[in-house]
Amino acid sequence: MMNESNFEANNTDNNKRGNYGERRTKLNNMVSGLGKLPPQAVDLEEAVLGALMLEKNALSEIIDILKPESFYKESHQKIFEAIFGLFQKTSPIDILTVTSELRRMGALEMVGGAYYITQLTDRVVSAANIEYHARIISQKYIQRELIKVSTEIINSSYDETSDIFDLLDHAEKSLFDIAQNNLRRDSRKMDDIMREAISNLEMLRDRTDGLTGVPSGLTALDRMTSGWQPSDLVIIAARPAMGKTAFVLSVARNAAVEHGKAVAVFSLEMSSVQLVNRLIAGETEIEQEKLKKGNLADHEWQQLHSRIGRLTDAPIIIDDTPALNVFEFRAKCRRLKAQYDIQMVIVDYLQLMHGKAEGKGGGNREQEIGSISRALKSVAKELNIPVLALSQLSRAVESRPGNSKRPMLSDLRESGSIEQDADMVLFLYRPEYYGLTEDEEGRPTAGVGEVIIAKHRNGETGIVPLRFVGKFVKFVDLEDEFSGMGGGDGFGDAPATFSASALNPSPNFGDDFGGAGFSGGITMPSRMNDMPDDAPF
């Protein structure tokens, strides 16, 4: 027989279990939204549909705001579908034509018959506020879509068999699709755009450096580009060992340290510590090999600590997430823009990115690279910042006849979409690497690197000679004795650039380079022939 104390203990346990069950039920109701109506505005849906049948130009005002699924009631979806069908056929839109179209679709009785169509027009006087009403309907639809996606995410999260990374990718993609499909930028009138353009010109009027974008810190390059321009996709391509990473770290450091521009660097190949070690080498001018081994003399330790202050305070954000996909990239760029107001993004490098959330490209690799380049351009335009993406070149550079191994646009690896989507395509080339020790005028090519501007949508093309300091892993302006290469143009002490005509592709690419080519040197077998196409930089 159960004594009183045991009875009370059991009763307490039952109460606890009952309270737990009650709490769990409440939690499930909160999660699933049971007992709540989805966001809707049925009265405004009726007003909009009625207005569309009253005034012939009303649909033009909301055609880019609403679509059939934006309406909550299925009958309203069918009515709008009929109206939109008439619009596409340039047929008049009124009570009779809409009723006839619904009858043809076999949906007239489903929506409530001709009487309901007539009722819709009785509930509105004019289409004066139709755009405002349409935006509210669109907002309610977006809310319903968010609830739907969130519920799917919650249900998948309870599924123990779900892969967490697939779930995160799916959640991000679903939310992005909602924004991409429903939030569109409005068109703007010419007078409004003209006022903004004139305002920008007035702001630039007093600038003496001629820069309109993010500075690279390399004088001759900035002269040709006026800085990295907002919304531009800049592809920087070269064969391995040409110094692509060194180049972008140099321009990132210059923009952040010298000009205070926040820069985001996405490194898919090297770790963040490796990149910082390279930046330290360039900033302190201590050889990278010594930094790698930590074998520094006392004065070098002092030099290290005295010079890294500016670099430590520089607004450089490094993300070394491997196998980054375009959805993660887009989301991270948005967050960094909101948090740090980044002014430039660098991707090292494009071929290591994935075009799909699951990390597997749909179709072939060329199509995937095309989708990645389009996504990079989309981010640049959306955030109104330059995106610099490194890219690999094919082996065609190595097999080109003659002494010159300068790359051309056709050498871009895996996709012509890269060339198509890019606003600028830059190639890096170091003749010294191929055993070319002197140019045709007898000047040494040791330490000389070239930035070949092969495509420039909004400016000139040509070749910018720079100094590559290998032991410090950085690019700098050439010394004054090189400032006459290719002819000066009165830009102070800045190195002049080579002729744009040098970039015309031809079988005799090296021979046609005029005075710009580093011909006449000693040709040696290239070490690149022994390296795979996907070798690290």
Side-chain angles (χ1 to χ4, degrees):
M1 187 171 180
M2 183 179 295
N3 58 36
E4 184 175 349
S5 60
N6 288 338
F7 175 81
E8 288 179 354
N10 289 337
N11 190 44
T12 301
D13 290 339
N14 289 334
N15 288 338
K16 287 181 178 179
R17 283 194 294 269
N19 291 340
Y20 173 79
E22 183 180 354
R23 290 196 301 271
R24 184 58 183 265
T25 302
K26 289 181 178 179
L27 177 63
N28 287 338
N29 287 343
M30 291 173 62
V31 170
S32 61
L34 293 176
K36 294 183 179 179
L37 284 175
Q40 55 185 287
V42 176
D43 53 341
L44 293 182
E45 291 181 9
E46 295 172 348
V48 167
L49 292 174
L52 291 175
M53 291 184 284
L54 283 179
E55 296 190 17
K56 64 179 182 178
N57 295 324
L59 185 58
S60 300
E61 296 184 33
I62 56 96
I63 194 70
D64 60 341
I65 301 175
L66 297 180
K67 45 193 174 183
E69 56 266 32
S70 302
F71 293 84
Y72 177 70
K73 291 185 67 174
E74 186 178 358
S75 59
H76 291 171
Q77 294 178 9
K78 289 294 183 181
I79 294 172
F80 186 80
E81 188 179 334
I83 292 173
F84 188 76
L86 292 170
F87 176 79
Q88 288 182 310
K89 294 184 289 187
T90 66
S91 301
I93 300 172
D94 54 36
I95 297 174
L96 296 178
T97 56
V98 171
T99 301
S100 177
E101 181 69 11
L102 284 167
R103 185 179 292 112
R104 187 193 65 79
M105 293 167 56
L108 182 59
E109 296 304 319
M110 187 272 283
V111 303
Y115 177 72
Y116 184 73
I117 304 299
T118 305
Q119 274 191 321
L120 290 175
T121 58
D122 292 339
R123 297 179 183 182
V124 63
V125 177
S126 73
N129 300 317
I130 190 170
E131 182 179 352
Y132 180 76
H133 293 161
R135 293 195 182 278
I136 295 177
I137 294 171
S138 179
Q139 291 171 11
K140 300 298 181 183
Y141 168 68
I142 293 173
Q143 288 177 279
R144 293 197 299 272
E145 287 294 290
L146 288 172
I147 292 171
K148 176 184 175 184
V149 168
S150 300
T151 303
E152 291 176 354
I153 295 171
I154 291 170
N155 291 335
S156 298
S157 299
Y158 277 112
D159 185 358
E160 297 292 341
T161 63
S162 298
D163 182 272
I164 186 62
F165 297 105
D166 288 343
L167 180 58
L168 286 170
D169 289 336
H170 173 70
E172 183 172 297
K173 181 180 185 301
S174 299
L175 292 172
F176 172 74
D177 286 344
I178 293 174
Q180 193 77 347
N181 295 333
N182 294 281
L183 303 179
R184 300 290 183 179
R185 186 171 180 175
D186 292 334
S187 302
R188 301 172 63 189
K189 291 181 63 179
M190 185 63 181
D191 59 347
D192 181 36
I193 302 174
M194 184 65 73
R195 280 193 296 271
E196 182 177 339
I198 296 300
S199 177
N200 289 337
L201 289 174
E202 291 173 348
M203 288 174 57
L204 297 171
R205 178 178 53 192
D206 299 326
R207 294 188 66 109
T208 58
D209 54 15
L211 294 175
T212 58
V214 178
S216 71
L218 302 169
T219 310
L221 183 60
D222 283 336
R223 178 190 58 195
M224 292 191 71
T225 64
S226 298
W228 311 114
Q229 297 301 309
S231 78
D232 273 6
L233 172 60
V234 181
I235 298 296
I236 301 169
R239 288 294 290 161
M242 288 295 115
K244 294 188 292 298
T245 302
F247 177 79
V248 292
L249 285 181
S250 296
V251 300
R253 180 266 171 202
N254 294 341
V257 174
E258 302 296 340
H259 300 276
K261 305 289 186 181
V263 180
V265 180
F266 290 87
S267 177
L268 286 77
E269 182 184 38
M270 301 174 63
S271 71
S272 56
V273 175
Q274 288 175 314
L275 290 183
V276 170
N277 282 338
R278 287 190 170 206
L279 286 169
I280 291 174
E283 190 71 15
T284 63
E285 296 191 344
I286 298 175
E287 294 183 20
Q288 188 187 18
E289 285 299 317
K290 287 188 175 183
L291 290 172
K292 187 185 299 182
K293 299 175 182 177
N295 185 22
L296 304 182
D298 290 342
H299 74 277
E300 289 174 325
W301 281 110
Q302 295 177 1
Q303 181 177 329
L304 173 70
H305 290 293
S306 65
R307 293 190 181 183
I308 62 173
R310 295 177 70 196
L311 191 60
T312 302
D313 297 332
I316 300 176
I317 303 97
I318 299 177
D319 185 309
D320 59 0
T321 304
L324 188 70
N325 65 60
V326 293
F327 303 109
E328 294 171 332
F329 173 75
R330 185 181 286 109
K332 288 184 176 187
C333 287
R334 286 170 174 166
R335 287 195 293 268
L336 292 174
K337 182 65 175 178
Q339 187 174 359
Y340 300 105
D341 190 26
I342 54 174
Q343 300 298 306
M344 182 168 67
V345 169
I346 294 172
V347 179
D348 183 9
Y349 62 98
L350 186 150
Q351 276 82 4
L352 289 180
M353 291 187 74
H354 288 295
K356 299 295 182 181
E358 64 272 17
K360 297 178 181 179
N364 58 39
R365 180 59 176 165
E366 182 174 340
Q367 292 173 334
E368 186 179 14
I369 291 295
S371 70
I372 292 170
S373 66
R374 287 189 294 273
L376 296 180
K377 175 59 181 177
S378 175
V379 169
K381 190 172 181 181
E382 177 187 344
L383 301 183
N384 196 35
I385 58 176
V387 173
L388 279 59
L390 300 187
S391 180
Q392 183 71 282
L393 288 180
S394 68
R395 283 184 177 273
V397 177
E398 311 300 328
S399 59
R400 185 164 296 126
N403 290 335
S404 178
K405 303 295 182 182
R406 285 187 178 88
M408 59 182 69
L409 289 173
S410 59
D411 296 326
L412 283 172
R413 184 180 170 192
E414 289 182 311
S415 178
S417 297
I418 298 177
E419 177 186 348
Q420 175 182 319
D421 297 327
D423 296 280
M424 289 181 64
V425 177
L426 309 182
F427 295 124
L428 299 182
Y429 171 66
R430 293 195 296 113
E432 177 188 15
Y433 187 86
Y434 296 104
L436 304 177
T437 58
E438 293 183 346
D439 64 14
E440 62 177 11
E441 298 182 13
R443 289 176 298 212
T445 61
V448 175
E450 297 177 5
V451 177
I452 304 172
I453 305 179
K455 177 185 177 182
H456 193 181
R457 199 188 301 274
N458 301 307
E460 59 180 316
T461 58
I463 301 177
V464 179
L466 298 174
R467 171 70 65 193
F468 175 66
V469 188
K471 61 183 178 179
F472 301 145
V473 203
K474 65 178 181 180
F475 280 83
V476 296
D477 286 322
L478 278 174
E479 290 83 3
D480 289 344
E481 62 264 26
F482 286 88
S483 62
M485 293 179 69
D489 61 358
F491 198 74
D493 294 331
T497 56
F498 297 124
S499 169
S501 63
L503 299 176
N504 293 332
S506 71
N508 300 318
F509 192 86
D511 299 334
D512 292 342
F513 242 73
F518 287 91
S519 59
I522 302 172
T523 303
M524 299 175 62
S526 173
R527 291 175 288 167
M528 303 295 296
N529 295 330
D530 299 324
M531 299 179 66
D533 277 357
D534 56 352
F537 297 94

